[in-house]
Amino acid sequence: MPGRTSLQSLSNELLKDVLDYIESDPEQTVSIDRRAYLSVESFRPPSPPEPSRAHDIGNFRLVCRQFAEIGIPYQFTRIATRFSRQGLARLDNICSQSHLAKHTRKFSYLVPYFWIEGREQIEQLLESERGHRGFLDTSCFQRKAEDQWEIIHTKEDARVLKKAMAAFSSLQHVQILRLQDEADRMLLEFLQESEMPRAAMVDLNWTPACIHATSTIAQALLQAGSQFSRFSGPMMNSQSALAIKDRIPQTVLVLASKLTCLELHFDDTEALNERMRAASNVFKAVFLAAKNLQAVHVGFPSRSPLDLGLEEVFHSIQWEKLRAFGIQAWRLEANEIIQLARRHKTTLRGLRLRDVQLREGSMWKDVLVMLRAEMEQLEWVSLRRVDYSKHFDELWANSMEVPDGSLGGSESDEEDDFPAHFSAPGSVINSEDDNDSEYEHSIADTDHGPDANEIALSPNTTASMPFCTCSRSSNPASADDLGDNGSFIFHQQRKLWEKWVVGRCPEHSCS
């Protein structure tokens, strides 16, 4: 009778395959030039593991030392920490154990609104409204406010973050997210709706929270000499850029020089144009220092497109290694897009133009023709909710509330890489609407690059010999067939345009 094989005798590779059925390989990431990168790696908040999965992995690691070692990456490659006593204590514990911390590649910092003033008023305020708001727990808010005050004044967050950034020797990606639980959401709604004088004395504010989190993380990264190369801020506040406009710290420029990927989404709407114009020199300094950028995204709220020239932010800078470029919610001339794309036509593989509204006198077909004719490396383009500025304004003028997904037609997109507007003010993204985020296992999907059926090789033709596919293509034959009327765009139109731009005929690629 042959000897029995125990589970412990299996190779590490087989044991990892077993764990992959519980939790996908944490070390697999989406390439920065793929269409799903923003939603999967940068703009999607870290999802807590299902209790059963976390329990299973924990139990697996308790079996023996071999299993404990194999299971470490499944627990510690991606670390998410809340700005709270408990969150910082947990982070302190993890980074005190080098055999755990060395596996961390991505760090997500979840930061709540800061209590600026009114901590003492909250109990009286809620007590006076107990008949209507009795479900709000006064003690909960008082504990949060006290915790924040203590953390900031003792600089406990700065201490732990410096320790963590030094311990995370494999760190690649840093992400700052705004955190809002259900209790915070209800309190914010109450404060906005309340007409009581005391309500105006309670100030929950994201601006100081964003500035504080960004500065403490930056100092910790610099002091640790971290080799991180990616930064994501999908819920940034424009005041964080204005805070350094008069004297840009060397810290910022040193960290920018390390970056290969930068994603910023500013979600405040108040005086947005004025603030961004005032911060123009900050963008210029950062982008000039970030010479190694391979992927860049700068976006604004879908319902409040930035009314500023593209080069007032990007300053005609050319990045030699740029592979993916994205902007969201901008009013532009067609030529502005053309000039920026043309600067990077030899390297750019992905172009995201979300919620971009062309000004009167510009035509989308002019942009599309240039992209198709000149951008030979381009593999995908995203035109979600692109439109004309005048039509966009008419939609808003005729509606009290236009959902972000409704502009320009039906938005049952199969390629929503990241939410268009990051939920109600104050919340971490808590609903995902994107099927682009299937971790890009396959590029055969027509929305994830060139349509395989339209650039398929003939069975009798070698790959090195171009042949004409024009007669077999369902795409428009020329720009005149795109249906661009210069006034408005239908949902299905822009999907067709995305395919047309990258669906070149191998023989007539400049048609």
Side-chain angles (χ1 to χ4, degrees), residues 12-131:
N12 287 353
E13 289 72 21
L14 286 176
L15 291 171
K16 288 179 180 178
D17 287 341
V18 172
L19 280 177
D20 284 343
Y21 280 97
I22 303 174
E23 189 72 39
S24 59
D25 186 349
E27 298 185 0
Q28 288 185 353
T29 58
V30 178
S31 174
I32 60 175
D33 58 5
R34 299 304 293 275
R35 185 165 182 160
Y37 176 80
L38 280 183
S39 65
V40 177
E41 297 297 340
S42 292
F43 281 7
R44 169 177 292 179
S47 301
E50 296 179 9
S52 59
R53 292 184 179 183
H55 186 71
D56 289 342
I57 293 174
N59 285 341
F60 177 88
R61 294 194 61 231
L62 291 174
V63 172
C64 61
R65 290 183 179 179
Q66 178 192 9
F67 285 18
E69 188 69 24
I70 293 171
I72 287 175
Y74 293 84
Q75 285 189 311
F76 299 102
T77 294
R78 300 167 187 249
I79 297 292
T81 295
R82 294 186 178 216
F83 178 94
S84 66
R85 283 183 183 177
Q86 295 84 350
L88 291 169
R90 175 177 175 270
L91 180 62
D92 195 0
N93 181 49
I94 291 172
C95 61
S96 295
Q97 304 178 64
S98 60
H99 68 291
L100 304 180
K102 69 180 182 180
H103 289 277
T104 301
R105 296 188 179 187
K106 179 178 179 180
F107 176 69
S108 298
Y109 197 27
L110 312 181
V111 185
Y113 277 68
F114 274 10
W115 290 80
I116 305 306
E117 58 184 352
R119 293 191 302 272
E120 302 81 4
Q121 302 289 332
I122 189 66
E123 183 174 5
Q124 297 176 4
L125 178 64
L126 296 182
E127 283 291 337
S128 65
E129 290 286 298
R130 181 166 294 279

Side-chain angles (χ1 to χ4, degrees), residues 398-413:
N398 295 323
S399 175
M400 292 295 291
E401 180 70 19
V402 180
D404 286 309
S406 69
L407 300 180
S410 169
E411 284 298 334
S412 56
D413 279 4

Side-chain angles (χ1 to χ4, degrees), residues 180-416:
Q180 176 185 311
D181 58 23
E182 184 63 15
D184 288 342
R185 184 191 65 79
M186 290 192 295
L187 178 60
L188 284 167
E189 286 184 359
F190 167 60
L191 293 176
Q192 291 167 2
E193 296 170 2
S194 178
E195 298 179 356
M196 296 181 59
R198 281 200 190 98
M201 300 177 66
V202 178
D203 186 9
L204 280 176
N205 201 316
W206 169 240
T207 299
C210 182
I211 293 173
H212 181 81
T214 304
S215 62
T216 50
I217 280 279
Q219 289 290 343
L221 289 166
L222 188 66
Q223 182 171 312
S226 175
Q227 296 305 307
F228 89 109
S229 61
R230 302 178 183 182
F231 178 81
S232 303
M235 302 169 187
M236 301 300 289
N237 186 282
S238 58
Q239 293 280 38
S240 59
L242 287 177
I244 59 173
K245 71 179 181 66
D246 295 325
R247 184 175 179 273
I248 301 173
Q250 190 63 25
T251 304
V252 173
L253 303 182
V254 171
L255 294 178
S257 68
K258 298 173 178 284
L259 294 175
T260 61
C261 188
L262 175 63
E263 296 107 6
L264 300 173
H265 187 98
F266 297 91
D267 66 352
D268 52 325
T269 59
E270 183 180 351
L272 185 61
N273 295 327
E274 292 76 9
R275 289 178 179 179
M276 288 296 103
R277 181 174 285 111
S280 178
N281 68 313
V282 178
F283 286 109
K284 183 178 182 179
V286 169
F287 287 145
L288 282 173
K291 299 180 183 297
N292 298 311
L293 283 177
Q294 298 177 31
V296 180
H297 173 90
V298 178
F300 304 93
S302 297
R303 63 193 65 189
S304 301
L306 186 69
D307 201 353
L308 213 62
L310 201 60
E311 300 306 347
E312 290 192 63
V313 173
F314 294 105
H315 298 277
S316 301
I317 294 170
Q318 180 178 354
W319 293 285
E320 295 180 357
K321 302 176 183 178
L322 192 68
R323 292 156 57 190
F325 178 84
I327 53 176
Q328 181 173 358
W330 222 306
R331 297 180 192 267
L332 298 172
E333 304 282 350
N335 195 54
E336 294 182 80
I337 302 171
I338 291 171
Q339 292 302 320
L340 190 144
R342 192 168 276 154
R343 290 203 300 270
H344 302 95
K345 67 179 182 180
T346 61
T347 61
L348 205 61
R349 297 183 184 179
L351 180 63
R352 178 177 285 103
L353 302 173
R354 292 297 183 82
D355 298 293
V356 172
Q357 319 297 328
L358 285 192
R359 299 181 187 278
E360 194 166 356
S362 290
M363 296 280 287
W364 272 107
K365 70 177 182 180
D366 295 334
V367 176
L368 304 177
V369 167
M370 176 270 164
L371 295 178
R372 178 179 169 94
E374 300 184 33
M375 306 293 289
E376 295 184 1
Q377 302 298 320
L378 200 62
E379 297 176 358
W380 60 264
V381 60
S382 174
L383 303 173
R384 187 181 182 203
R385 288 193 306 274
V386 298
D387 202 351
Y388 287 96
S389 187
K390 184 178 179 181
H391 182 241
F392 174 88
D393 291 337
E394 289 172 351
L395 284 174
W396 276 100
N398 295 323
S399 175
M400 292 295 291
E401 180 70 19
V402 180
D404 286 309
S406 69
L407 300 180
S410 169
E411 284 298 334
S412 56
D413 279 4
E414 296 178 355
E415 81 298 340
D416 290 350

